Amino acid sequence: MDSLIKLFFCLSVYLLIGEISRVEGSDKNQRMYGFRPTKLFVFGDSYADTGNIKKSLSSSWKFPYGITFPGKPAGRFSDGRVSTDFLAKFVGIKSPIPYFWKDYAGKKRLQYGMNFAYGGTGVFNTQVPLPNMTTQIDFFQNILTAGDIYSSSDFTSSVALVSVAGNDYSTFIAQNRPASDFPAFIKQVVDQTEVNLRRIHALGVKKIAIPSLQPLGCIPGITVASSFQRCNESQNDLVKLHNNLLQQVVTKLNNETRQSTFIIIDLYNAFLTVFKNKGASPGSTTFESPLKPCCVGVSSEYFCGSVDEKGVKKYVICDNPKSAFFWDGSHPTEEGWRSVYSVLRESLTASFIKA
């Protein structure tokens, strides 16, 4: 277990420090579902954040982030679009406006929902002093209470994305807590996630999509130890515990509501499917070295987007971001996310058809 602590400490560097220091669809899409989604509300972290963090605080607003889309840094932790954008496209709406920019958006732009996700955050407080998921849901509730943007009728066709990508676990390690406490802490994270899901549903959201935890043992911050050749299966075993508990929660909630209100987006297996793809998965890119990131620091003290005190860049970028699954130490490229959602399309379609 001590070795797992060391591995998760590496993860804390990439998921926490690295994050802060440095669509429309068609009517054909919309007819696939048992209901017609018109709004997407998003909660979570850097896998879902599309620009909520202030420009001065985040590497997501620094070059080379955003070079694929929209062609410049725009607050996404990738070279382009992220999970939120692809889910919005899947359900047939534009990607929702970030909460931070709501006062600058017109009424028409707000009609697609709102994104409350902040990179580096978790269900509990992390080392990143930004709104955790409870506070994000508070923001959402306050907007509903004010009643000047959305009304209760807006939620009969709404979808929520609730992203929990591992920052709570990074924080656990950074706090030097005993390894023996890890399983109990995983349960605490999933229990709090259940509280959050219940609260979002009680506020009127029709469908709630919850990604499983991605295989953290496969992110570049971990696989660098094997020259990006192998995932760490011991670490992925802890991820499986999280995902098994999450599945139990979702099953329980759906039994209580007697509807398929809560949906698991199986990122864990979708990531692994893409990693192993040799051309058998239609629409999914075949990545020659799927565990190797496109953008890396020139040495271990630097990250993607790092510059020195003279403004000289201290990172390198691969020749073609579309050839890489991972963009930096922990985040997929736009092409990575596109491939993941290609793998997920069939299961998502089946989930959204259910009433």
Side-chain angles (χ1 to χ4, degrees):
M1 187 65 88
D2 286 343
S3 62
L4 291 181
I5 285 289
K6 293 177 182 178
L7 287 167
F8 267 79
F9 181 76
C10 293
L11 177 63
S12 72
V13 173
Y14 281 94
L15 286 188
L16 291 171
I17 300 173
E19 285 188 355
I20 297 305
S21 68
R22 48 167 188 125
V23 281
E24 284 185 31
S26 65
D27 287 340
K28 181 179 179 182
N29 264 348
Q30 293 166 337
R31 286 197 296 269
M32 290 194 300
Y33 316 118
F35 76 108
R36 183 187 175 110
T38 60
K39 289 177 175 58
L40 174 61
F41 297 97
V42 183
F43 309 88
D45 43 48
S46 59
Y47 271 29
D49 187 357
T50 55
N52 270 319
I53 307 177
K54 290 181 179 180
K55 293 183 179 181
S56 61
L57 296 178
S58 177
S59 61
S60 61
W61 285 102
K62 298 175 182 177
F63 190 84
Y65 287 82
I67 58 172
T68 298
F69 173 84
K72 61 181 180 180
R76 288 172 172 82
F77 289 86
S78 181
D79 65 310
R81 296 170 179 87
V82 297
S83 183
T84 295
D85 304 302
F86 283 101
L87 183 61
K89 182 179 181 181
F90 178 82
V91 300
I93 60 175
K94 286 186 176 180
S95 196
I97 197 79
Y99 170 76
F100 183 79
W101 299 100
K102 68 182 186 306
D103 295 334
Y104 304 94
K107 187 76 172 178
K108 185 175 181 180
R109 190 69 183 85
L110 293 170
Q111 70 179 332
Y112 302 108
M114 196 171 293
N115 188 342
F116 300 89
Y118 284 79
T121 64
V123 298
F124 301 122
N125 289 334
T126 64
Q127 290 182 300
V128 175
L130 292 170
N132 66 22
M133 194 171 291
T134 296
T135 304
Q136 293 173 26
I137 300 171
D138 288 344
F139 293 158
F140 178 49
Q141 184 169 0
N142 291 341
I143 285 177
L144 302 192
T145 301
D148 54 349
I149 299 178
Y150 305 113
S151 63
S152 57
S153 61
D154 288 321
F155 298 101
T156 57
S157 58
S158 60
V159 180
L161 172 64
V162 182
S163 174
V164 181
N167 293 318
D168 293 289
Y169 301 132
S170 304
T171 300
F172 177 96
I173 298 307
Q175 293 172 343
N176 293 316
R177 295 172 64 177
S180 58
D181 290 351
F182 222 124
F185 181 68
I186 291 173
K187 187 175 188 307
Q188 289 174 18
V189 169
V190 176
D191 285 349
Q192 183 59 44
T193 300
E194 178 182 352
V195 171
N196 295 339
L197 296 176
R198 289 181 180 278
R199 189 176 169 202
I200 293 168
H201 182 239
L203 289 170
V205 178
K206 173 76 171 177
K207 286 270 187 182
I208 302 174
I210 315 99
S212 63
L213 191 59
Q214 72 280 13
L216 294 176
C218 300
I219 69 168
I222 299 302
T223 62
V224 65
S226 65
S227 299
F228 309 114
Q229 297 300 307
R230 295 185 304 279
C231 298
N232 183 280
E233 296 307 327
S234 296
Q235 191 167 339
N236 283 344
D237 285 342
L238 290 173
V239 173
K240 290 175 185 176
L241 173 58
H242 171 105
N243 289 338
N244 288 338
L245 292 173
L246 181 64
Q247 182 62 65
Q248 291 173 25
V249 164
V250 167
T251 299
K252 177 173 66 173
L253 291 174
N254 282 332
N255 286 338
E256 289 179 9
T257 62
R258 299 191 177 184
Q259 296 178 350
S260 299
T261 300
F262 301 89
I263 302 164
I264 292 281
I265 299 180
D266 190 2
L267 287 191
Y268 184 90
N269 285 306
F271 272 48
L272 294 181
T273 298
V274 174
F275 295 161
K276 297 172 183 176
N277 179 37
K278 303 301 180 185
S281 300
S284 178
T285 300
T286 300
F287 298 99
E288 185 175 341
S289 301
L291 306 182
K292 185 177 181 179
C294 176
C295 183
V296 295
V298 296
S299 65
S300 59
E301 62 185 299
Y302 296 109
F303 300 92
C304 179
S306 292
V307 296
D308 64 16
E309 62 277 2
K310 296 180 180 179
V312 177
K313 71 175 187 178
K314 292 295 181 179
Y315 60 89
V316 292
I317 312 173
C318 63
D319 292 335
N320 180 14
K322 287 188 176 182
S323 69
F325 178 86
F326 281 107
W327 170 242
D328 59 13
S330 54
H331 305 99
T333 58
E334 175 174 303
E335 193 63 27
W337 279 120
R338 187 189 314 280
S339 294
V340 165
Y341 272 85
S342 175
V343 170
L344 290 167
R345 173 166 287 277
E346 185 176 341
S347 63
L348 279 177
T349 300
S351 295
F352 275 86
I353 286 174
K354 293 179 182 178

mmCIF file of all heavy atoms in Angstrom, residues 19-22 49-62 74-77 98-101 104 117-119 128-131:
data_model
loop_
_atom_site.group_PDB
_atom_site.id
_atom_site.type_symbol
_atom_site.label_atom_id
_atom_site.label_comp_id
_atom_site.label_asym_id
_atom_site.label_seq_id
_atom_site.Cartn_x
_atom_site.Cartn_y
_atom_site.Cartn_z
ATOM 1 N N GLU A 19 -2.900 21.845 -12.834
ATOM 2 C CA GLU A 19 -4.086 22.497 -13.341
ATOM 3 C C GLU A 19 -4.116 23.986 -13.036
ATOM 4 O O GLU A 19 -4.615 24.782 -13.822
ATOM 5 C CB GLU A 19 -5.344 21.851 -12.734
ATOM 6 C CG GLU A 19 -5.631 20.497 -13.362
ATOM 7 C CD GLU A 19 -6.951 19.918 -12.927
ATOM 8 O OE1 GLU A 19 -7.600 20.530 -12.066
ATOM 9 O OE2 GLU A 19 -7.322 18.868 -13.448
ATOM 10 N N ILE A 20 -3.582 24.372 -11.895
ATOM 11 C CA ILE A 20 -3.719 25.760 -11.504
ATOM 12 C C ILE A 20 -2.456 26.561 -11.760
ATOM 13 O O ILE A 20 -2.517 27.743 -12.088
ATOM 14 C CB ILE A 20 -4.119 25.849 -10.009
ATOM 15 C CG1 ILE A 20 -5.491 25.193 -9.840
ATOM 16 C CG2 ILE A 20 -4.177 27.276 -9.529
ATOM 17 C CD1 ILE A 20 -6.572 25.739 -10.724
ATOM 18 N N SER A 21 -1.333 25.945 -11.695
ATOM 19 C CA SER A 21 -0.105 26.692 -11.934
ATOM 20 C C SER A 21 0.065 26.951 -13.414
ATOM 21 O O SER A 21 0.739 27.844 -13.820
ATOM 22 C CB SER A 21 1.092 25.901 -11.406
ATOM 23 O OG SER A 21 1.299 24.743 -12.162
ATOM 24 N N ARG A 22 -0.125 26.368 -13.788
ATOM 25 C CA ARG A 22 0.133 26.557 -15.216
ATOM 26 C C ARG A 22 -1.168 26.814 -16.091
ATOM 27 O O ARG A 22 -1.946 27.515 -15.580
ATOM 28 C CB ARG A 22 0.776 25.290 -15.649
ATOM 29 C CG ARG A 22 -0.082 24.097 -15.102
ATOM 30 C CD ARG A 22 0.240 22.870 -15.664
ATOM 31 N NE ARG A 22 -0.641 21.845 -15.309
ATOM 32 C CZ ARG A 22 -1.305 21.064 -16.121
ATOM 33 N NH1 ARG A 22 -1.207 21.245 -17.400
ATOM 34 N NH2 ARG A 22 -2.049 20.125 -15.665
ATOM 35 N N ASP A 49 -14.741 21.491 -17.135
ATOM 36 C CA ASP A 49 -14.625 22.958 -17.102
ATOM 37 C C ASP A 49 -14.382 23.503 -18.511
ATOM 38 O O ASP A 49 -13.504 23.041 -19.231
ATOM 39 C CB ASP A 49 -13.462 23.335 -16.184
ATOM 40 C CG ASP A 49 -13.347 24.833 -15.930
ATOM 41 O OD1 ASP A 49 -14.127 25.617 -16.502
ATOM 42 O OD2 ASP A 49 -12.443 25.214 -15.147
ATOM 43 N N THR A 50 -15.168 24.522 -18.888
ATOM 44 C CA THR A 50 -14.983 25.157 -20.195
ATOM 45 C C THR A 50 -14.656 26.649 -20.067
ATOM 46 O O THR A 50 -14.843 27.407 -21.006
ATOM 47 C CB THR A 50 -16.234 24.976 -21.086
ATOM 48 O OG1 THR A 50 -17.390 25.467 -20.385
ATOM 49 C CG2 THR A 50 -16.446 23.517 -21.461
ATOM 50 N N GLY A 51 -14.145 27.048 -18.885
ATOM 51 C CA GLY A 51 -13.690 28.428 -18.763
ATOM 52 C C GLY A 51 -14.115 29.174 -17.525
ATOM 53 O O GLY A 51 -14.239 30.397 -17.549
ATOM 54 N N ASN A 52 -14.314 28.474 -16.400
ATOM 55 C CA ASN A 52 -14.775 29.146 -15.178
ATOM 56 C C ASN A 52 -13.675 29.786 -14.347
ATOM 57 O O ASN A 52 -13.939 30.691 -13.558
ATOM 58 C CB ASN A 52 -15.555 28.161 -14.307
ATOM 59 C CG ASN A 52 -17.035 28.151 -14.625
ATOM 60 O OD1 ASN A 52 -17.628 29.202 -14.846
ATOM 61 N ND2 ASN A 52 -17.633 26.969 -14.672
ATOM 62 N N ILE A 53 -12.438 29.309 -14.474
ATOM 63 C CA ILE A 53 -11.362 29.834 -13.637
ATOM 64 C C ILE A 53 -10.837 31.158 -14.209
ATOM 65 O O ILE A 53 -10.743 31.317 -15.431
ATOM 66 C CB ILE A 53 -10.198 28.828 -13.529
ATOM 67 C CG1 ILE A 53 -10.728 27.463 -13.067
ATOM 68 C CG2 ILE A 53 -9.142 29.321 -12.558
ATOM 69 C CD1 ILE A 53 -9.661 26.383 -12.994
ATOM 70 N N LYS A 54 -10.516 32.092 -13.338
ATOM 71 C CA LYS A 54 -9.978 33.373 -13.798
ATOM 72 C C LYS A 54 -8.705 33.158 -14.604
ATOM 73 O O LYS A 54 -7.889 32.285 -14.317
ATOM 74 C CB LYS A 54 -9.677 34.273 -12.597
ATOM 75 C CG LYS A 54 -10.912 34.784 -11.883
ATOM 76 C CD LYS A 54 -10.537 35.698 -10.722
ATOM 77 C CE LYS A 54 -11.771 36.225 -10.009
ATOM 78 N NZ LYS A 54 -11.426 37.115 -8.875
ATOM 79 N N LYS A 55 -8.526 33.985 -15.622
ATOM 80 C CA LYS A 55 -7.404 33.828 -16.541
ATOM 81 C C LYS A 55 -6.056 33.871 -15.836
ATOM 82 O O LYS A 55 -5.115 33.185 -16.229
ATOM 83 C CB LYS A 55 -7.463 34.910 -17.631
ATOM 84 C CG LYS A 55 -8.646 34.758 -18.565
ATOM 85 C CD LYS A 55 -8.619 35.817 -19.660
ATOM 86 C CE LYS A 55 -9.787 35.646 -20.615
ATOM 87 N NZ LYS A 55 -9.765 36.644 -21.709
ATOM 88 N N SER A 56 -5.951 34.659 -14.773
ATOM 89 C CA SER A 56 -4.668 34.819 -14.081
ATOM 90 C C SER A 56 -4.288 33.599 -13.243
ATOM 91 O O SER A 56 -3.145 33.475 -12.796
ATOM 92 C CB SER A 56 -4.713 36.056 -13.182
ATOM 93 O OG SER A 56 -5.738 35.915 -12.198
ATOM 94 N N LEU A 57 -5.232 32.677 -13.029
ATOM 95 C CA LEU A 57 -5.000 31.568 -12.105
ATOM 96 C C LEU A 57 -4.738 30.229 -12.769
ATOM 97 O O LEU A 57 -4.275 29.300 -12.105
ATOM 98 C CB LEU A 57 -6.214 31.414 -11.172
ATOM 99 C CG LEU A 57 -6.518 32.574 -10.223
ATOM 100 C CD1 LEU A 57 -7.788 32.269 -9.422
ATOM 101 C CD2 LEU A 57 -5.353 32.829 -9.287
ATOM 102 N N SER A 58 -5.025 30.094 -14.045
ATOM 103 C CA SER A 58 -5.044 28.765 -14.631
ATOM 104 C C SER A 58 -4.231 28.623 -15.900
ATOM 105 O O SER A 58 -4.255 29.498 -16.777
ATOM 106 C CB SER A 58 -6.497 28.365 -14.924
ATOM 107 O OG SER A 58 -6.551 27.108 -15.547
ATOM 108 N N SER A 59 -3.544 27.490 -16.022
ATOM 109 C CA SER A 59 -2.802 27.185 -17.250
ATOM 110 C C SER A 59 -3.733 26.998 -18.432
ATOM 111 O O SER A 59 -3.303 27.086 -19.580
ATOM 112 C CB SER A 59 -1.971 25.911 -17.043
ATOM 113 O OG SER A 59 -2.816 24.806 -16.753
ATOM 114 N N SER A 60 -5.011 26.743 -18.177
ATOM 115 C CA SER A 60 -5.960 26.529 -19.264
ATOM 116 C C SER A 60 -6.196 27.790 -20.082
ATOM 117 O O SER A 60 -6.779 27.729 -21.163
ATOM 118 C CB SER A 60 -7.295 26.021 -18.702
ATOM 119 O OG SER A 60 -7.867 26.975 -17.822
ATOM 120 N N TRP A 61 -5.744 28.933 -19.558
ATOM 121 C CA TRP A 61 -5.850 30.197 -20.297
ATOM 122 C C TRP A 61 -4.509 30.597 -20.905
ATOM 123 O O TRP A 61 -4.339 31.731 -21.347
ATOM 124 C CB TRP A 61 -6.352 31.310 -19.379
ATOM 125 C CG TRP A 61 -7.822 31.211 -19.066
ATOM 126 C CD1 TRP A 61 -8.388 30.741 -17.925
ATOM 127 C CD2 TRP A 61 -8.905 31.596 -19.911
ATOM 128 N NE1 TRP A 61 -9.759 30.806 -18.002
ATOM 129 C CE2 TRP A 61 -10.098 31.339 -19.213
ATOM 130 C CE3 TRP A 61 -8.983 32.146 -21.204
ATOM 131 C CZ2 TRP A 61 -11.357 31.593 -19.753
ATOM 132 C CZ3 TRP A 61 -10.237 32.399 -21.736
ATOM 133 C CH2 TRP A 61 -11.403 32.132 -21.019
ATOM 134 N N LYS A 62 -3.551 29.676 -20.892
ATOM 135 C CA LYS A 62 -2.229 29.974 -21.433
ATOM 136 C C LYS A 62 -1.959 29.133 -22.676
ATOM 137 O O LYS A 62 -2.434 28.002 -22.792
ATOM 138 C CB LYS A 62 -1.142 29.687 -20.383
ATOM 139 C CG LYS A 62 -1.265 30.532 -19.124
ATOM 140 C CD LYS A 62 -0.230 30.113 -18.088
ATOM 141 C CE LYS A 62 -0.371 30.917 -16.791
ATOM 142 N NZ LYS A 62 0.592 30.461 -15.756
ATOM 143 N N ALA A 74 -8.755 29.181 -24.110
ATOM 144 C CA ALA A 74 -10.132 29.585 -23.825
ATOM 145 C C ALA A 74 -10.662 28.977 -22.533
ATOM 146 O O ALA A 74 -11.867 28.935 -22.323
ATOM 147 C CB ALA A 74 -11.040 29.203 -25.000
ATOM 148 N N GLY A 75 -9.761 28.505 -21.657
ATOM 149 C CA GLY A 75 -10.200 28.007 -20.362
ATOM 150 C C GLY A 75 -10.450 26.520 -20.293
ATOM 151 O O GLY A 75 -10.842 26.014 -19.243
ATOM 152 N N ARG A 76 -10.240 25.803 -21.392
ATOM 153 C CA ARG A 76 -10.389 24.347 -21.376
ATOM 154 C C ARG A 76 -9.031 23.694 -21.117
ATOM 155 O O ARG A 76 -8.026 24.150 -21.652
ATOM 156 C CB ARG A 76 -10.955 23.846 -22.701
ATOM 157 C CG ARG A 76 -12.423 24.178 -22.935
ATOM 158 C CD ARG A 76 -12.823 23.810 -24.362
ATOM 159 N NE ARG A 76 -14.252 23.929 -24.597
ATOM 160 C CZ ARG A 76 -14.881 25.076 -24.872
ATOM 161 N NH1 ARG A 76 -14.169 26.203 -24.946
ATOM 162 N NH2 ARG A 76 -16.183 25.105 -25.080
ATOM 163 N N PHE A 77 -9.046 22.593 -20.359
ATOM 164 C CA PHE A 77 -7.813 21.870 -20.065
ATOM 165 C C PHE A 77 -7.552 20.833 -21.153
ATOM 166 O O PHE A 77 -7.614 19.623 -20.937
ATOM 167 C CB PHE A 77 -7.914 21.211 -18.681
ATOM 168 C CG PHE A 77 -7.857 22.206 -17.550
ATOM 169 C CD1 PHE A 77 -9.012 22.835 -17.106
ATOM 170 C CD2 PHE A 77 -6.654 22.523 -16.938
ATOM 171 C CE1 PHE A 77 -8.963 23.758 -16.064
ATOM 172 C CE2 PHE A 77 -6.603 23.439 -15.894
ATOM 173 C CZ PHE A 77 -7.755 24.065 -15.466
ATOM 174 N N PRO A 98 -20.075 28.948 -19.445
ATOM 175 C CA PRO A 98 -19.525 28.841 -18.084
ATOM 176 C C PRO A 98 -20.209 29.824 -17.134
ATOM 177 O O PRO A 98 -20.520 30.960 -17.521
ATOM 178 C CB PRO A 98 -18.050 29.184 -18.268
ATOM 179 C CG PRO A 98 -17.751 28.889 -19.697
ATOM 180 C CD PRO A 98 -19.015 29.238 -20.431
ATOM 181 N N TYR A 99 -20.410 29.406 -15.919
ATOM 182 C CA TYR A 99 -21.045 30.229 -14.893
ATOM 183 C C TYR A 99 -20.347 31.579 -14.747
ATOM 184 O O TYR A 99 -20.997 32.624 -14.604
ATOM 185 C CB TYR A 99 -21.020 29.466 -13.564
ATOM 186 C CG TYR A 99 -21.430 30.258 -12.345
ATOM 187 C CD1 TYR A 99 -22.770 30.546 -12.097
ATOM 188 C CD2 TYR A 99 -20.472 30.703 -11.427
ATOM 189 C CE1 TYR A 99 -23.143 31.267 -10.973
ATOM 190 C CE2 TYR A 99 -20.846 31.422 -10.297
ATOM 191 C CZ TYR A 99 -22.178 31.703 -10.075
ATOM 192 O OH TYR A 99 -22.535 32.422 -8.965
ATOM 193 N N PHE A 100 -19.015 31.582 -14.813
ATOM 194 C CA PHE A 100 -18.231 32.807 -14.637
ATOM 195 C C PHE A 100 -18.591 33.873 -15.666
ATOM 196 O O PHE A 100 -18.489 35.067 -15.397
ATOM 197 C CB PHE A 100 -16.739 32.476 -14.733
ATOM 198 C CG PHE A 100 -15.819 33.652 -14.508
ATOM 199 C CD1 PHE A 100 -15.537 34.098 -13.226
ATOM 200 C CD2 PHE A 100 -15.250 34.331 -15.583
ATOM 201 C CE1 PHE A 100 -14.699 35.187 -13.011
ATOM 202 C CE2 PHE A 100 -14.405 35.419 -15.376
ATOM 203 C CZ PHE A 100 -14.127 35.845 -14.093
ATOM 204 N N TRP A 101 -19.033 33.431 -16.849
ATOM 205 C CA TRP A 101 -19.306 34.358 -17.955
ATOM 206 C C TRP A 101 -20.790 34.625 -18.160
ATOM 207 O O TRP A 101 -21.176 35.255 -19.152
ATOM 208 C CB TRP A 101 -18.702 33.796 -19.248
ATOM 209 C CG TRP A 101 -17.219 33.636 -19.170
ATOM 210 C CD1 TRP A 101 -16.525 32.481 -18.928
ATOM 211 C CD2 TRP A 101 -16.226 34.670 -19.289
ATOM 212 N NE1 TRP A 101 -15.170 32.724 -18.892
ATOM 213 C CE2 TRP A 101 -14.957 34.060 -19.116
ATOM 214 C CE3 TRP A 101 -16.288 36.050 -19.535
ATOM 215 C CZ2 TRP A 101 -13.769 34.772 -19.172
ATOM 216 C CZ3 TRP A 101 -15.100 36.758 -19.586
ATOM 217 C CH2 TRP A 101 -13.860 36.132 -19.408
ATOM 218 N N TYR A 104 -22.146 38.066 -19.059
ATOM 219 C CA TYR A 104 -21.703 38.616 -20.340
ATOM 220 C C TYR A 104 -22.405 37.939 -21.511
ATOM 221 O O TYR A 104 -22.180 38.300 -22.670
ATOM 222 C CB TYR A 104 -20.183 38.447 -20.493
ATOM 223 C CG TYR A 104 -19.390 39.051 -19.362
ATOM 224 C CD1 TYR A 104 -19.010 38.275 -18.271
ATOM 225 C CD2 TYR A 104 -19.051 40.400 -19.367
ATOM 226 C CE1 TYR A 104 -18.293 38.820 -17.209
ATOM 227 C CE2 TYR A 104 -18.339 40.954 -18.306
ATOM 228 C CZ TYR A 104 -17.959 40.160 -17.243
ATOM 229 O OH TYR A 104 -17.250 40.707 -16.204
ATOM 230 N N ALA A 117 -18.580 23.816 -13.521
ATOM 231 C CA ALA A 117 -17.379 23.053 -13.193
ATOM 232 C C ALA A 117 -16.134 23.934 -13.109
ATOM 233 O O ALA A 117 -15.948 24.841 -13.924
ATOM 234 C CB ALA A 117 -17.164 21.959 -14.228
ATOM 235 N N TYR A 118 -15.286 23.637 -12.127
ATOM 236 C CA TYR A 118 -14.010 24.342 -11.943
ATOM 237 C C TYR A 118 -12.869 23.326 -11.911
ATOM 238 O O TYR A 118 -12.888 22.390 -11.098
ATOM 239 C CB TYR A 118 -14.004 25.121 -10.624
ATOM 240 C CG TYR A 118 -14.802 26.401 -10.630
ATOM 241 C CD1 TYR A 118 -16.191 26.383 -10.505
ATOM 242 C CD2 TYR A 118 -14.170 27.640 -10.752
ATOM 243 C CE1 TYR A 118 -16.929 27.568 -10.497
ATOM 244 C CE2 TYR A 118 -14.899 28.825 -10.741
ATOM 245 C CZ TYR A 118 -16.272 28.784 -10.619
ATOM 246 O OH TYR A 118 -16.990 29.958 -10.611
ATOM 247 N N GLY A 119 -11.880 23.511 -12.770
ATOM 248 C CA GLY A 119 -10.722 22.626 -12.796
ATOM 249 C C GLY A 119 -10.022 22.549 -11.449
ATOM 250 O O GLY A 119 -9.873 23.553 -10.751
ATOM 251 N N VAL A 128 -6.799 23.126 -4.340
ATOM 252 C CA VAL A 128 -7.144 24.249 -5.214
ATOM 253 C C VAL A 128 -8.280 25.031 -4.558
ATOM 254 O O VAL A 128 -9.373 24.500 -4.354
ATOM 255 C CB VAL A 128 -7.576 23.740 -6.603
ATOM 256 C CG1 VAL A 128 -8.054 24.889 -7.468
ATOM 257 C CG2 VAL A 128 -6.410 23.018 -7.271
ATOM 258 N N PRO A 129 -8.062 26.294 -4.197
ATOM 259 C CA PRO A 129 -9.073 27.068 -3.466
ATOM 260 C C PRO A 129 -10.177 27.613 -4.377
ATOM 261 O O PRO A 129 -10.356 28.821 -4.539
ATOM 262 C CB PRO A 129 -8.245 28.203 -2.852
ATOM 263 C CG PRO A 129 -7.145 28.425 -3.840
ATOM 264 C CD PRO A 129 -6.795 27.050 -4.387
ATOM 265 N N LEU A 130 -10.913 26.705 -4.975
ATOM 266 C CA LEU A 130 -12.007 27.054 -5.876
ATOM 267 C C LEU A 130 -13.265 26.301 -5.434
ATOM 268 O O LEU A 130 -13.184 25.364 -4.644
ATOM 269 C CB LEU A 130 -11.632 26.696 -7.320
ATOM 270 C CG LEU A 130 -10.513 27.527 -7.957
ATOM 271 C CD1 LEU A 130 -10.064 26.920 -9.276
ATOM 272 C CD2 LEU A 130 -10.959 28.977 -8.156
ATOM 273 N N PRO A 131 -14.444 26.671 -5.938
ATOM 274 C CA PRO A 131 -15.707 26.089 -5.457
ATOM 275 C C PRO A 131 -15.780 24.571 -5.644
ATOM 276 O O PRO A 131 -15.673 24.073 -6.764
ATOM 277 C CB PRO A 131 -16.765 26.801 -6.312
ATOM 278 C CG PRO A 131 -16.132 28.084 -6.728
ATOM 279 C CD PRO A 131 -14.685 27.756 -6.922
#
